[in-house]
Amino acid sequence: MPKTIFKSFLFTIFICLFAREVSSQTSPEKINFVRQGVKRLIFDENQAIPLSSLDPKAIVGFSSMYPRKTYSEIAADLNTEGETLIVQSPQESETAVWFGGFNPFATYTVDLESCLGSGEIGFQFSDSKDQKQFIVKVAYKDNILTDVKLKVTINQKTITDQSIAVNKEGPKNLQGKIILQMLGSGLNLYIHDQGLPKVIGQSDFNNFIDLRKKEYIHSLQSQLYLHLINGQVQIKKVDMALTTGVGLADIRTITYENGDPMLDQGRLWYTMSIRGRALPHHIQGVFSMDPTVFDIKLEGVILFDRKDGLLRNEIASHLFYDRNEQIWRGLTTGFSAYAFPDKEKKQLLAIESKRDPRFGFSVMDAVPFGMVGDIEDPHILFDEEVNKWRMLTCENQGQGYKAIVLESDYWNKGYTRISGPVAHNSTGTSIQKIGDSRYCFSGSSEREIFIYSYPDLKEVGTLKMDLPPWDSNAGTRVWPNIVQLPEGYPSPYIALMMDRYNYPGLTGPNWTYGALYLYHAYDQ
């Protein structure tokens, strides 16, 4: 065979093999995602991470374990009978019973058996000398809720003493659980007997006191507050825990530095925002899940330290483990700035921790790096082919959020735009591999999840779903959060998304979505 013919023959074989390889590469718009399950975690007791408690059935030496303070001439009687704490007083009394330290992002719960007579019950956060007091209390008369109040005292001066009650219409029985959801610069208060917890109070207290200050976290302690005019209160338990709140959103897979999803201990790991109410009231949670089932588990909470005396509740984070440097890094969105919008600007922050921040209560260092403005949902990876760090994020330039890709020689500075903005509204932007190729995914306000090429953001198509995480009444700016799994898993792709249904009963700005939706997908 002549050399020219042989070379032509080899070239033809190469082209055929290359074409076959290209044709075997799945294009993500051709994959159908099938819904497997849905759940909304609302103060899920099975998910709670305990911080402290007062459990009457497990007390020996009450006065030592749970010391009390009396603020009245008459001291109330405190006794345990079986599994119940009984507090009673025939005359007016005011008492605080210690049960734990203080965390301004924890959930506090009183499980009530009954409350006879009239008075107030709630939570007091104060230092050892009561120079600073923060009291949230529910007023009642004969088991009927009459008011919800917030009182803040600093150096014996009352800063505020006001009603924070909402949804006042109609009498409400004060029975079951009183749930106080602390959110750094705000709070929500619920009662829960049957069905969904009902909102009875809310407050933005950042103009009175900033409980995100480390000095308060280090010095304040938590007490059960009891102001009895007369009568008796029976309590089954008091708890302090990190919880799932009333909804979850901003779901992002934790990855390695090259963007590969972290599969550790047979589980995928996620950051999700634990929802409170409005933009400064959410908390960065860490969750895990076995990708073969639907066993979402709350693993921890992350706060962020900018070395200014505050611990901040930023969210919409992308956390990755840099194997080259053996350190945890990532980006987060500075939504806590909305607590003081006149003093701070929303911006992206570079975050870092030597300690594994996935478990328990963690604090990561956070540093601004010049990306100030209405920018959200960053996803970062190191692209070895170009030896660059790349970030997919969405920016609002006055016409809604649009996806853009930026590039830098460094993970935490010096980013310049290389593509975008796209034409469509964008949210929950993420970069994931399908086959051997990377793609960019984005939710939108257009009832579609858009797929773009990486890194040039050319439109590829939209995601196919049999039952999307919305209906005709719900918002559709969800986070796609698609993951390609290694060989051996029942499904080669999964997606974990949320809906945008707000929790009922809250007043004012309300971004408390949502339920979690699990999808499996297969190559067609």
Side-chain angles (χ1 to χ4, degrees):
M1 180 183 294
K3 286 185 177 180
T4 54
I5 297 176
F6 180 70
K7 288 181 179 179
S8 178
F9 176 71
L10 290 178
F11 180 75
T12 301
I13 292 175
F14 172 78
I15 291 297
C16 291
L17 289 173
F18 178 76
R20 185 177 180 182
E21 180 67 25
V22 170
S23 66
S24 67
Q25 167 68 47
T26 302
S27 189
E29 81 278 7
K30 298 179 180 178
I31 303 172
N32 188 46
F33 284 80
V34 180
R35 192 197 290 185
Q36 304 296 309
V38 62
K39 62 176 72 173
R40 184 153 183 160
L41 304 180
I42 300 172
F43 297 122
D44 191 327
E45 294 181 7
N46 296 324
Q47 301 286 325
I49 299 174
L51 296 175
S52 188
S53 66
L54 190 163
D55 189 353
K57 68 177 181 295
I59 296 176
V60 177
F62 193 110
S63 60
S64 178
M65 291 179 68
Y66 303 104
R68 67 172 176 173
K69 294 179 180 178
T70 299
Y71 300 102
S72 55
E73 294 183 4
I74 303 297
D77 292 328
L78 277 74
N79 296 289
T80 57
E81 292 184 8
E83 298 184 356
T84 305
L85 170 65
I86 299 176
V87 184
Q88 54 189 353
S89 178
Q91 302 179 53
E92 185 173 3
S93 64
E94 188 177 14
T95 309
V97 183
W98 180 95
F99 67 87
F102 174 66
N103 187 313
F105 304 98
T107 299
Y108 299 81
T109 305
V110 174
D111 193 349
L112 272 176
E113 180 77 30
S114 65
C115 48
L116 304 176
S118 62
E120 297 169 326
I121 183 171
F123 301 94
Q124 173 176 299
F125 309 113
S126 61
D127 58 16
S128 60
K129 296 183 179 179
D130 289 326
Q131 294 299 302
K132 299 176 181 65
Q133 290 181 321
F134 185 98
I135 303 172
V136 181
K137 51 191 178 180
V138 177
Y140 65 89
K141 184 174 183 180
D142 296 328
N143 267 338
I144 300 298
L145 185 152
T146 59
D147 203 357
V148 179
K149 300 177 182 178
L150 170 65
K151 182 178 181 180
V152 178
T153 303
I154 299 178
N155 297 327
Q156 279 83 50
K157 180 181 179 181
T158 299
I159 305 301
T160 186
D161 187 359
Q162 62 180 11
S163 174
I164 58 170
V166 296
N167 303 318
K168 300 178 184 179
E169 61 281 355
K172 293 181 176 63
N173 290 325
L174 188 59
Q175 58 188 24
K177 295 180 178 179
I178 302 172
I179 302 172
L180 171 62
Q181 185 185 22
M182 292 295 290
L183 301 161
S185 59
L187 64 85
N188 298 333
L189 195 70
Y190 305 80
I191 53 172
H192 184 208
D193 185 24
Q194 296 178 345
L196 291 175
K198 295 179 175 60
V199 182
I200 59 171
Q202 62 185 64
S203 174
D204 293 327
F205 52 77
N206 45 297
N207 290 325
F208 306 130
I209 187 171
D210 193 343
L211 292 179
R212 302 174 303 168
K213 289 184 178 180
K214 286 190 274 188
E215 64 177 278
Y216 294 146
I217 298 171
H218 297 164
S219 63
L220 300 188
Q221 297 179 330
S222 301
Q223 294 107 28
L224 170 66
Y225 177 83
L226 297 151
H227 177 205
L228 304 184
I229 307 301
N230 60 72
Q232 181 190 87
V233 172
Q234 296 189 14
I235 295 168
K236 291 188 279 188
K237 196 175 182 183
V238 182
D239 277 313
M240 170 185 177
L242 304 176
T243 73
T244 60
V246 295
L248 300 170
D250 309 329
I251 307 164
R252 171 82 74 210
T253 312
I254 297 175
T255 68
Y256 294 106
E257 76 289 338
N258 66 348
D260 288 347
M262 178 177 286
L263 260 172
D264 182 30
Q265 305 170 44
R267 303 178 71 79
L268 287 169
W269 297 80
Y270 299 92
T271 51
M272 304 185 205
S273 57
I274 297 169
R275 309 304 272 192
R277 184 172 9 106
L279 285 176
H281 302 140
H282 310 316
I283 303 167
Q284 186 60 78
V286 179
F287 294 76
S288 70
M289 185 184 75
D290 182 333
T292 67
V293 292
F294 196 15
D295 64 343
I296 291 289
K297 180 184 178 184
L298 174 62
E299 301 281 1
V301 160
I302 303 175
L303 297 181
F304 301 94
D305 189 353
R306 289 176 58 178
K307 307 303 182 185
D308 60 356
L310 304 179
L311 292 185
R312 297 167 183 269
N313 49 318
E314 317 298 11
I315 56 165
S317 308
H318 177 202
L319 184 64
F320 68 88
Y321 183 67
D322 191 329
R323 292 168 292 188
N324 300 314
E325 301 292 334
Q326 296 187 341
I327 195 167
W328 294 87
R329 287 173 169 162
L331 302 175
T332 192
T333 309
F335 283 110
S336 72
Y338 285 93
F340 292 98
D342 295 333
K343 299 179 181 179
E344 299 181 8
K345 299 296 183 182
K346 176 185 174 184
Q347 60 186 301
L348 299 186
L349 303 167
I351 57 177
E352 195 170 59
S353 172
K354 293 181 179 178
R355 173 186 174 272
D356 189 338
R358 291 177 294 167
F359 303 99
F361 184 77
S362 300
V363 177
M364 297 187 73
D365 290 338
V367 179
F369 60 105
M371 294 197 67
V372 181
D374 200 0
I375 308 169
E376 299 181 357
D377 310 349
H379 189 124
I380 182 177
L381 58 80
F382 183 73
D383 191 328
E384 294 177 344
E385 291 187 6
V386 294
N387 201 33
K388 297 281 188 180
W389 290 93
R390 282 180 170 164
M391 182 204 312
L392 173 66
T393 188
C394 53
E395 182 178 16
N396 186 356
Q397 298 180 331
Q399 297 179 337
Y401 294 97
K402 305 291 180 66
I404 57 174
V405 172
L406 304 102
E407 183 178 83
S408 177
D409 293 325
Y410 308 94
W411 75 276
N412 60 347
K413 62 180 180 179
Y415 280 93
T416 56
R417 183 185 304 179
I418 62 171
S419 60
V422 298
H424 301 284
N425 176 268
S426 308
T427 190
T429 43
S430 64
I431 307 168
Q432 297 293 343
K433 274 189 175 180
I434 301 295
D436 295 324
S437 300
R438 290 188 176 106
Y439 294 88
C440 299
F441 296 87
S442 169
S444 75
S445 60
E446 300 177 44
R447 316 193 75 73
E448 298 283 1
I449 289 174
F450 287 95
I451 306 166
Y452 302 96
S453 60
Y454 167 88
D456 51 1
L457 291 179
K458 302 298 183 184
E459 192 171 336
V460 173
T462 58
L463 200 70
K464 290 169 60 178
M465 292 178 288
D466 67 333
L467 293 170
W470 59 72
D471 63 10
S472 59
N473 299 314
T476 63
R477 294 178 61 240
V478 303
W479 288 50
N481 197 53
I482 294 159
V483 175
Q484 178 174 258
L485 295 170
E487 288 187 13
Y489 279 86
S491 171
Y493 314 98
I494 69 167
L496 188 64
M497 307 186 200
M498 87 282 182
D499 66 23
R500 292 175 65 96
Y501 272 97
N502 285 323
Y503 194 85
L506 292 164
T507 63
N510 181 356
W511 293 284
T512 45
Y513 37 83
L516 301 179
Y517 293 71
L518 176 64
Y519 295 83
H520 288 180
Y522 307 87
D523 294 327
Q524 300 299 307

